[in-house]
Amino acid sequence: DVLTLCIDKKQSSVFASGIDSRVVCFKHNGEKWISTRAHRPHTHDVKAFCTYMKKRPSNSKSPGKLCEHLVSGGTDTKLCTYLVNSFMELRPKKYFCWPSVSPIRVAKKERILTIMRETVVDLYRIKDRSKIEDIFVDNKDAKLPEENEIIGSVRVESSYNLVCSAVSSDGKRLAISDGSCSMLFDLRYSKVGKQELIEANELLLPKNAKSPCTSMEFSPSGKLLICAKQDGEIFVVKLFEEKASNGHFAEIVHIFSDHVDCSSKTLPFFRLTISPDGKWFAAGRNTHEIGSTQVFTLDSFEENSSKSFR
């Protein structure tokens, strides 16, 4: 079955696809339409096409030229792009499902697992293996009702989907960012009978620390929050146990910005990881270009002498 069709700007090529996942190009030779070439970059049904114009990068041999591109999307959650004028010669580019960051985070010390959804973060208690009878027996299905393990949810009232989240190792702090701002929550645990409950209270952050993030990570001690911002900068935020005199529960102690290239568009970081001793952290972008991975030191951030290494 054909599920989608698209015609190019010159009205000389028609692209078709559907359940068999092949993207087929038909061209008009002056008398009739003929099938010229097909690609199969998708693994499941292709349900949508669109075309757009984009200028190709220039180089020493040829200047940049405006070219027409075709985009296909399907149930495998991939996007694929094709150069219309070179559909027969060039293979399509594949862009895999987004986001590429796992929505699952774990507070190891407190044994809390968080799952980020569109506008809510659910928190689950990871049971002690020794207290779960017969669940790890070979050839036996694990049967634990989800409602017995979920201990609470943190819902964000926003018109944007959540982008990233992080939970401290001791489970006391939860950081969340959507497309408009970043938020920090204090988590308190209690029990009513056998039912465990959680109370989440939002903490006041400085205005310059509330800008949206693309990735967040707590230090092993839980005293620092590393925030990768949309413009490529990385904020080091120090967290307080008690409210400061200005009413804030955090302050920015350092901003890494030397790696940001002002002459061109800098892609944000989507992955952060901190060493077990809390002295180093690495940041990664979704690109294979130079500078896609950066390593930073947190050794002496309080003295503003932090370094970054490419």
Side-chain angles (χ1 to χ4, degrees):
D1 296 352
V2 176
L3 301 178
T4 181
L5 291 167
C6 187
I7 189 168
D8 71 339
K9 189 175 182 181
K10 296 180 180 179
Q11 299 186 12
S12 61
S13 300
V14 174
F15 302 93
S17 190
I19 290 178
D20 68 352
S21 75
R22 288 194 312 153
V23 177
V24 183
C25 176
F26 296 91
K27 281 187 172 291
H28 197 265
N29 65 359
E31 297 180 359
K32 60 180 180 179
W33 292 92
I34 60 172
S35 175
T36 59
R37 177 70 192 273
H39 295 287
R40 198 189 292 272
H42 293 278
T43 58
H44 293 76
D45 302 0
V46 178
K47 293 190 173 182
F49 279 145
C50 73
T51 59
Y52 69 97
M53 303 299 293
K54 180 182 178 182
K55 192 174 183 179
R56 300 192 69 183
S58 59
N59 53 46
S60 57
K61 295 183 179 180
S62 61
K65 186 174 66 172
L66 197 63
C67 299
E68 187 175 13
H69 293 71
L70 172 74
V71 183
S72 62
T75 55
D76 59 1
T77 71
K78 281 190 300 189
L79 292 177
C80 300
T81 61
Y82 320 73
L83 194 60
V84 171
N85 290 339
S86 302
F87 188 86
M88 296 178 64
E89 296 84 15
L90 299 179
R91 292 180 178 274
K93 291 184 178 180
K94 301 177 184 179
Y95 299 85
F96 289 87
C97 55
W98 189 266
S100 59
V101 180
S102 172
I104 298 175
R105 308 303 296 269
V106 176
K108 295 181 180 179
K109 292 180 181 178
E110 186 62 25
R111 299 181 65 84
I112 293 293
L113 181 146
T114 67
I115 300 180
M116 181 181 70
R117 307 188 191 277
E118 289 185 357
T119 58
V120 66
V121 175
D122 292 329
L123 295 94
Y124 297 81
R125 170 69 65 184
I126 303 175
K127 298 294 186 181
D128 188 341
R129 179 169 178 166
S130 62
K131 296 180 181 179
I132 304 176
E133 297 180 358
D134 301 327
I135 193 172
F136 295 101
V137 177
D138 291 340
N139 301 322
K140 184 176 181 180
D141 293 335
K143 294 182 179 180
L144 282 177
E146 182 177 328
E147 59 269 19
N148 293 344
E149 311 307 320
I150 189 168
I151 58 176
S153 299
V154 178
R155 186 172 298 277
V156 177
E157 298 296 334
S158 172
S159 57
Y160 299 91
N161 288 349
L162 301 186
V163 176
C164 60
S165 64
V167 62
S168 61
S169 182
D170 58 9
K172 294 181 178 180
R173 297 284 171 87
L174 175 69
I176 301 174
S177 180
D178 63 5
S180 62
C181 69
S182 299
M183 295 150 278
L184 181 66
F185 295 88
D186 178 69
L187 304 179
R188 303 291 177 92
Y189 305 89
S190 62
K191 276 193 173 183
V192 178
K194 293 184 178 181
Q195 181 66 40
E196 186 173 11
L197 303 174
I198 189 168
E199 180 184 352
N201 297 305
E202 187 173 359
L203 304 179
L204 185 62
L205 291 174
K207 185 177 180 180
N208 53 353
K210 295 183 71 174
S211 56
C213 297
T214 54
S215 184
M216 311 170 92
E217 192 73 39
F218 285 95
S219 65
S221 65
K223 296 180 179 179
L224 295 178
L225 176 63
I226 312 300
C227 302
K229 298 297 182 175
Q230 292 180 340
D231 59 1
E233 292 184 337
I234 298 178
F235 287 20
V236 180
V237 181
K238 186 176 182 179
L239 307 178
F240 307 139
E241 289 290 337
E242 303 293 336
K243 181 167 57 176
S245 57
N246 59 5
H248 297 156
F249 283 84
E251 67 173 346
I252 298 174
V253 294
H254 193 78
I255 299 176
F256 290 102
S257 59
D258 292 344
H259 59 279
V260 178
D261 185 0
C262 297
S263 63
S264 62
K265 185 178 179 180
T266 300
L267 291 174
F269 293 104
F270 286 95
R271 281 184 172 81
L272 295 171
T273 183
I274 304 179
S275 62
D277 60 7
K279 294 182 178 181
W280 299 85
F281 75 92
R285 298 187 180 101
N286 290 340
T287 177
H288 56 77
E289 298 175 354
I290 295 176
S292 60
T293 301
Q294 305 271 347
V295 180
F296 304 85
T297 177
L298 293 170
D299 253 348
S300 49
F301 70 91
E302 292 181 349
E303 287 77 26
N304 289 330
S305 57
S306 299
K307 303 173 183 178
S308 65
F309 301 88
R310 295 193 179 191

Coordinates of all heavy atoms in Angstrom, one line a residue, residues 95-153:
Y95 N 18.8 10.0 10.2 CA 18.8 10.7 11.5 C 17.9 9.9 12.4 O 16.7 9.8 12.2 CB 18.2 12.1 11.4 CG 19.0 13.0 10.5 CD1 18.8 13.0 9.1 CD2 20.0 13.8 10.9 CE1 19.6 13.8 8.2 CE2 20.8 14.6 10.1 CZ 20.6 14.6 8.7 OH 21.3 15.4 7.9
F96 N 18.5 9.3 13.4 CA 17.8 8.3 14.3 C 17.0 9.0 15.3 O 17.0 10.3 15.5 CB 18.8 7.4 15.0 CG 19.5 6.4 14.0 CD1 20.6 6.8 13.3 CD2 18.9 5.2 13.8 CE1 21.2 5.9 12.4 CE2 19.4 4.3 12.9 CZ 20.6 4.6 12.2
C97 N 16.1 8.2 16.0 CA 15.1 8.7 16.8 C 15.6 9.8 17.8 O 16.7 9.7 18.3 CB 14.4 7.6 17.5 SG 15.4 6.5 18.5
W98 N 14.7 10.7 18.1 CA 15.0 11.8 19.0 C 14.0 11.8 20.2 O 12.9 11.6 20.0 CB 14.9 13.1 18.2 CG 15.4 14.3 18.9 CD1 14.7 15.2 19.7 CD2 16.7 14.8 19.0 NE1 15.5 16.1 20.2 CE2 16.8 15.9 19.8 CE3 17.9 14.3 18.4 CZ2 17.9 16.6 20.0 CZ3 19.1 15.0 18.6 CH2 19.1 16.2 19.4
P99 N 14.5 12.1 21.4 CA 15.8 12.4 21.8 C 16.7 11.2 21.9 O 16.3 10.1 22.0 CB 15.6 13.0 23.2 CG 14.4 12.3 23.7 CD 13.5 12.0 22.5
S100 N 18.0 11.4 21.8 CA 19.0 10.4 21.9 C 19.5 10.1 23.3 O 20.3 9.2 23.6 CB 20.2 10.7 21.0 OG 20.8 11.9 21.4
V101 N 19.0 10.9 24.3 CA 19.3 10.8 25.7 C 18.3 9.9 26.4 O 17.1 10.1 26.2 CB 19.4 12.1 26.3 CG1 19.8 12.0 27.8 CG2 20.4 13.0 25.6
S102 N 18.8 9.0 27.2 CA 17.9 8.1 27.9 C 17.0 8.9 28.9 O 17.5 9.7 29.6 CB 18.6 7.0 28.6 OG 17.8 6.2 29.5
P103 N 15.7 8.6 29.0 CA 14.9 9.3 29.9 C 15.0 8.7 31.3 O 14.3 9.2 32.3 CB 13.5 9.1 29.4 CG 13.6 7.8 28.7 CD 15.0 7.7 28.1
I104 N 15.8 7.7 31.5 CA 15.9 7.0 32.8 C 17.1 7.4 33.5 O 18.2 7.4 33.0 CB 15.9 5.4 32.6 CG1 14.6 5.0 31.9 CG2 16.1 4.7 33.9 CD1 14.6 3.5 31.6
R105 N 17.0 7.8 34.8 CA 18.1 8.1 35.7 C 18.0 7.3 37.0 O 16.9 7.0 37.4 CB 18.2 9.6 36.0 CG 18.1 10.5 34.7 CD 19.2 10.2 33.7 NE 20.5 10.5 34.3 CZ 21.2 11.6 34.2 NH1 20.6 12.6 33.5 NH2 22.4 11.8 34.7
V106 N 19.1 7.1 37.7 CA 19.1 6.3 38.9 C 19.9 7.1 40.0 O 21.0 7.6 39.8 CB 19.8 4.9 38.7 CG1 19.8 4.2 40.0 CG2 19.0 4.2 37.6
A107 N 19.2 7.1 41.2 CA 19.9 7.6 42.4 C 20.4 6.3 43.1 O 19.6 5.6 43.8 CB 18.9 8.4 43.3
K108 N 21.7 6.1 43.0 CA 22.2 4.8 43.5 C 22.2 4.6 45.0 O 21.8 3.5 45.5 CB 23.7 4.6 43.0 CG 23.8 4.6 41.5 CD 25.3 4.4 41.1 CE 25.4 4.3 39.5 NZ 26.8 4.2 39.1
K109 N 22.5 5.6 45.7 CA 22.5 5.5 47.2 C 21.1 5.3 47.7 O 20.9 4.5 48.6 CB 23.1 6.7 47.8 CG 24.6 6.9 47.5 CD 25.2 8.1 48.2 CE 26.7 8.3 47.9 NZ 27.2 9.5 48.5
E110 N 20.1 6.0 47.2 CA 18.8 6.0 47.7 C 17.9 4.9 47.0 O 16.8 4.6 47.4 CB 18.1 7.3 47.5 CG 16.7 7.5 48.2 CD 16.7 7.3 49.7 OE1 17.7 7.5 50.3 OE2 15.6 6.9 50.2
R111 N 18.5 4.3 45.9 CA 17.8 3.3 45.1 C 16.5 3.8 44.6 O 15.4 3.2 44.7 CB 17.6 2.0 46.0 CG 18.9 1.4 46.4 CD 18.7 0.1 47.2 NE 18.1 -0.9 46.4 CZ 18.7 -1.8 45.6 NH1 20.1 -1.7 45.6 NH2 18.1 -2.7 44.9
I112 N 16.6 4.9 43.9 CA 15.4 5.5 43.3 C 15.7 5.6 41.8 O 16.8 5.9 41.3 CB 15.2 7.0 43.8 CG1 14.8 6.9 45.3 CG2 14.1 7.7 42.9 CD1 13.4 6.3 45.5
L113 N 14.7 5.2 41.0 CA 14.8 5.3 39.5 C 13.7 6.3 39.0 O 12.6 6.3 39.5 CB 14.5 3.9 38.9 CG 14.5 3.7 37.4 CD1 15.1 2.4 37.0 CD2 13.2 3.9 36.8
T114 N 14.2 7.2 38.2 CA 13.3 8.2 37.6 C 13.1 8.0 36.1 O 14.1 7.6 35.4 CB 13.8 9.6 37.9 OG1 15.0 9.8 37.1 CG2 14.1 9.8 39.4
I115 N 11.9 8.2 35.6 CA 11.6 8.1 34.2 C 11.0 9.4 33.8 O 9.9 9.8 34.3 CB 10.7 6.9 33.9 CG1 11.3 5.6 34.3 CG2 10.3 6.9 32.4 CD1 10.4 4.4 34.1
M116 N 11.6 10.1 32.8 CA 11.1 11.3 32.3 C 10.1 11.1 31.2 O 10.5 10.4 30.2 CB 12.3 12.2 31.8 CG 11.9 13.6 31.3 SD 13.3 14.5 30.7 CE 13.8 13.6 29.2
R117 N 9.0 11.7 31.3 CA 8.0 11.6 30.2 C 7.7 12.9 29.6 O 8.6 13.8 29.8 CB 6.7 10.9 30.8 CG 7.0 9.6 31.5 CD 5.7 8.8 31.9 NE 6.0 7.7 32.8 CZ 6.4 6.5 32.4 NH1 6.6 6.3 31.1 NH2 6.6 5.6 33.3
E118 N 6.6 13.2 28.9 CA 6.4 14.4 28.2 C 6.4 15.6 29.2 O 7.1 16.6 28.9 CB 5.1 14.4 27.4 CG 5.2 13.4 26.2 CD 4.0 13.5 25.3 OE1 3.0 14.2 25.7 OE2 3.9 12.9 24.3
T119 N 5.6 15.6 30.2 CA 5.5 16.7 31.1 C 5.6 16.2 32.6 O 5.3 17.0 33.5 CB 4.2 17.4 30.9 OG1 3.1 16.5 31.1 CG2 4.1 18.1 29.6
V120 N 6.1 15.0 32.8 CA 6.1 14.5 34.2 C 7.3 13.6 34.4 O 7.8 13.0 33.4 CB 4.8 13.7 34.5 CG1 4.7 12.5 33.7 CG2 4.7 13.4 36.0
V121 N 7.9 13.6 35.6 CA 8.9 12.6 35.9 C 8.4 11.7 37.0 O 8.0 12.1 38.1 CB 10.2 13.4 36.5 CG1 11.2 12.3 36.9 CG2 10.8 14.2 35.4
D122 N 8.3 10.4 36.7 CA 7.9 9.4 37.7 C 9.0 8.8 38.5 O 10.1 8.6 37.9 CB 7.1 8.2 37.0 CG 5.8 8.7 36.3 OD1 5.2 9.6 36.9 OD2 5.5 8.1 35.3
L123 N 8.8 8.6 39.8 CA 9.9 8.1 40.6 C 9.5 6.7 41.1 O 8.3 6.5 41.6 CB 10.1 9.0 41.8 CG 10.7 10.4 41.4 CD1 9.6 11.4 41.3 CD2 11.7 10.8 42.5
Y124 N 10.4 5.8 41.0 CA 10.2 4.4 41.5 C 11.2 4.0 42.5 O 12.4 4.4 42.4 CB 10.3 3.4 40.3 CG 9.2 3.6 39.2 CD1 9.4 4.6 38.2 CD2 8.1 2.8 39.1 CE1 8.4 4.8 37.2 CE2 7.1 3.0 38.1 CZ 7.3 4.0 37.2 OH 6.4 4.2 36.2
R125 N 10.8 3.2 43.4 CA 11.7 2.6 44.4 C 12.3 1.3 43.9 O 11.5 0.4 43.5 CB 11.0 2.4 45.8 CG 11.8 1.6 46.8 CD 12.9 2.3 47.3 NE 12.5 3.5 48.1 CZ 13.4 4.4 48.5 NH1 14.7 4.2 48.4 NH2 13.0 5.5 49.2
I126 N 13.6 1.1 43.9 CA 14.2 -0.1 43.4 C 14.3 -1.0 44.7 O 15.0 -0.7 45.6 CB 15.6 0.2 42.8 CG1 15.5 1.1 41.7 CG2 16.3 -1.2 42.4 CD1 16.9 1.5 41.1
K127 N 13.6 -2.1 44.6 CA 13.6 -3.0 45.8 C 14.9 -3.7 46.0 O 15.7 -3.9 45.0 CB 12.5 -4.1 45.6 CG 11.1 -3.5 45.5 CD 10.7 -2.9 46.8 CE 9.2 -2.5 46.8 NZ 8.7 -1.9 48.0
D128 N 15.2 -4.0 47.3 CA 16.4 -4.8 47.6 C 16.2 -6.2 47.1 O 15.2 -6.9 47.4 CB 16.6 -4.8 49.1 CG 17.9 -5.4 49.5 OD1 18.5 -6.1 48.7 OD2 18.4 -5.2 50.7
R129 N 17.2 -6.7 46.3 CA 17.1 -8.0 45.7 C 16.8 -9.1 46.7 O 16.1 -10.0 46.5 CB 18.3 -8.3 44.9 CG 18.3 -9.6 44.2 CD 19.5 -9.8 43.2 NE 19.5 -11.1 42.6 CZ 20.2 -11.3 41.5 NH1 20.9 -10.4 41.0 NH2 20.2 -12.6 41.0
S130 N 17.5 -9.0 47.9 CA 17.4 -10.0 48.9 C 16.0 -10.1 49.5 O 15.6 -11.1 50.1 CB 18.4 -9.8 50.0 OG 18.1 -8.6 50.7
K131 N 15.2 -9.0 49.4 CA 13.8 -9.0 50.0 C 12.7 -9.4 49.0 O 11.6 -9.4 49.4 CB 13.6 -7.6 50.5 CG 14.5 -7.1 51.6 CD 14.2 -5.7 52.1 CE 15.2 -5.3 53.2 NZ 14.9 -4.0 53.7
I132 N 13.1 -9.7 47.8 CA 12.1 -10.1 46.8 C 12.2 -11.6 46.6 O 13.2 -12.1 46.0 CB 12.3 -9.3 45.4 CG1 12.4 -7.8 45.7 CG2 11.2 -9.7 44.4 CD1 12.7 -7.0 44.4
E133 N 11.2 -12.3 47.1 CA 11.3 -13.7 47.0 C 10.9 -14.3 45.7 O 10.0 -13.9 45.0 CB 10.3 -14.3 48.1 CG 10.6 -13.9 49.5 CD 9.7 -14.5 50.5 OE1 8.7 -15.2 50.0 OE2 9.8 -14.3 51.7
D134 N 11.7 -15.2 45.2 CA 11.5 -16.0 44.0 C 11.4 -15.2 42.7 O 11.0 -15.7 41.7 CB 10.2 -16.8 44.1 CG 10.2 -17.8 45.3 OD1 11.3 -18.3 45.6 OD2 9.2 -18.0 45.9
I135 N 11.8 -13.9 42.7 CA 11.7 -13.2 41.5 C 12.8 -13.4 40.5 O 12.7 -13.2 39.3 CB 11.6 -11.7 41.8 CG1 11.1 -10.9 40.6 CG2 12.9 -11.1 42.3 CD1 10.8 -9.4 40.9
F136 N 14.0 -13.9 41.0 CA 15.1 -14.1 40.1 C 15.3 -15.6 39.8 O 16.4 -16.0 39.5 CB 16.4 -13.5 40.7 CG 16.3 -12.0 40.8 CD1 16.0 -11.4 42.0 CD2 16.5 -11.2 39.7 CE1 15.9 -10.0 42.1 CE2 16.4 -9.8 39.8 CZ 16.1 -9.2 41.0
V137 N 14.3 -16.4 40.0 CA 14.4 -17.8 39.7 C 14.4 -18.0 38.2 O 13.7 -17.3 37.5 CB 13.2 -18.6 40.3 CG1 13.3 -20.1 39.9 CG2 13.2 -18.4 41.8
D138 N 15.3 -18.9 37.7 CA 15.4 -19.1 36.2 C 14.1 -19.6 35.7 O 13.3 -20.3 36.3 CB 16.5 -20.2 35.9 CG 17.9 -19.6 36.3 OD1 18.0 -18.4 36.3 OD2 18.8 -20.5 36.4
N139 N 13.8 -19.1 34.4 CA 12.6 -19.5 33.7 C 11.3 -19.1 34.4 O 10.3 -19.8 34.2 CB 12.6 -21.0 33.4 CG 13.8 -21.4 32.6 OD1 14.3 -20.7 31.7 ND2 14.4 -22.5 33.0
K140 N 11.4 -18.1 35.2 CA 10.1 -17.6 35.9 C 10.0 -16.1 35.7 O 10.9 -15.4 35.9 CB 10.2 -17.9 37.4 CG 8.9 -17.6 38.1 CD 9.0 -18.0 39.5 CE 7.7 -17.7 40.3 NZ 7.7 -18.1 41.7
D141 N 8.8 -15.7 35.2 CA 8.5 -14.3 34.9 C 8.5 -13.5 36.3 O 8.0 -14.0 37.3 CB 7.2 -14.1 34.2 CG 7.3 -14.7 32.8 OD1 8.4 -14.8 32.3 OD2 6.2 -15.1 32.2
A142 N 9.0 -12.3 36.2 CA 8.9 -11.4 37.4 C 7.6 -10.8 37.4 O 7.1 -10.2 36.4 CB 10.0 -10.3 37.3
K143 N 6.9 -10.8 38.5 CA 5.5 -10.3 38.6 C 5.5 -9.3 39.8 O 5.2 -9.7 40.9 CB 4.5 -11.4 38.8 CG 4.4 -12.3 37.5 CD 3.3 -13.3 37.7 CE 3.2 -14.2 36.4 NZ 2.1 -15.2 36.6
L144 N 5.8 -8.0 39.5 CA 5.7 -7.0 40.5 C 4.8 -5.9 40.0 O 5.1 -5.2 39.0 CB 7.1 -6.4 40.8 CG 7.9 -7.2 41.8 CD1 9.3 -6.5 41.9 CD2 7.3 -7.4 43.1
P145 N 3.6 -5.7 40.5 CA 2.7 -4.6 40.0 C 3.4 -3.3 40.1 O 4.0 -2.9 41.1 CB 1.5 -4.7 41.0 CG 1.6 -6.1 41.6 CD 3.1 -6.4 41.7
E146 N 3.3 -2.5 39.0 CA 4.0 -1.2 38.9 C 3.4 -0.3 40.0 O 4.2 0.5 40.5 CB 3.8 -0.6 37.5 CG 4.5 0.7 37.3 CD 4.3 1.2 35.9 OE1 4.2 0.4 35.0 OE2 4.2 2.5 35.8
E147 N 2.2 -0.4 40.3 CA 1.6 0.6 41.3 C 2.2 0.4 42.7 O 2.1 1.3 43.5 CB 0.1 0.5 41.3 CG -0.4 -0.9 41.7 CD -0.7 -1.8 40.5 OE1 -0.1 -1.5 39.4 OE2 -1.4 -2.8 40.6
N148 N 2.8 -0.8 42.9 CA 3.4 -1.0 44.2 C 4.8 -0.4 44.3 O 5.4 -0.3 45.4 CB 3.5 -2.5 44.5 CG 2.1 -3.1 44.7 OD1 1.2 -2.4 44.9 ND2 2.1 -4.4 44.7
E149 N 5.4 -0.1 43.2 CA 6.8 0.4 43.1 C 6.9 1.9 42.9 O 7.8 2.6 43.3 CB 7.6 -0.3 42.0 CG 7.4 -1.8 42.0 CD 7.7 -2.4 43.3 OE1 8.7 -2.0 44.0 OE2 7.0 -3.4 43.8
I150 N 5.9 2.5 42.2 CA 6.0 4.0 42.0 C 5.6 4.7 43.3 O 4.7 4.3 44.0 CB 5.0 4.4 40.9 CG1 5.2 5.9 40.5 CG2 3.6 4.1 41.2 CD1 4.5 6.3 39.2
I151 N 6.5 5.7 43.6 CA 6.3 6.3 44.9 C 5.8 7.8 44.7 O 5.5 8.5 45.7 CB 7.5 6.3 45.8 CG1 8.7 6.9 45.1 CG2 7.9 4.8 46.2 CD1 10.0 7.0 45.9
G152 N 5.8 8.3 43.5 CA 5.4 9.6 43.3 C 5.7 10.1 41.9 O 6.5 9.5 41.2
S153 N 5.2 11.3 41.6 CA 5.5 11.9 40.3 C 5.7 13.4 40.5 O 5.0 14.0 41.4 CB 4.4 11.7 39.3 OG 4.2 10.3 39.1

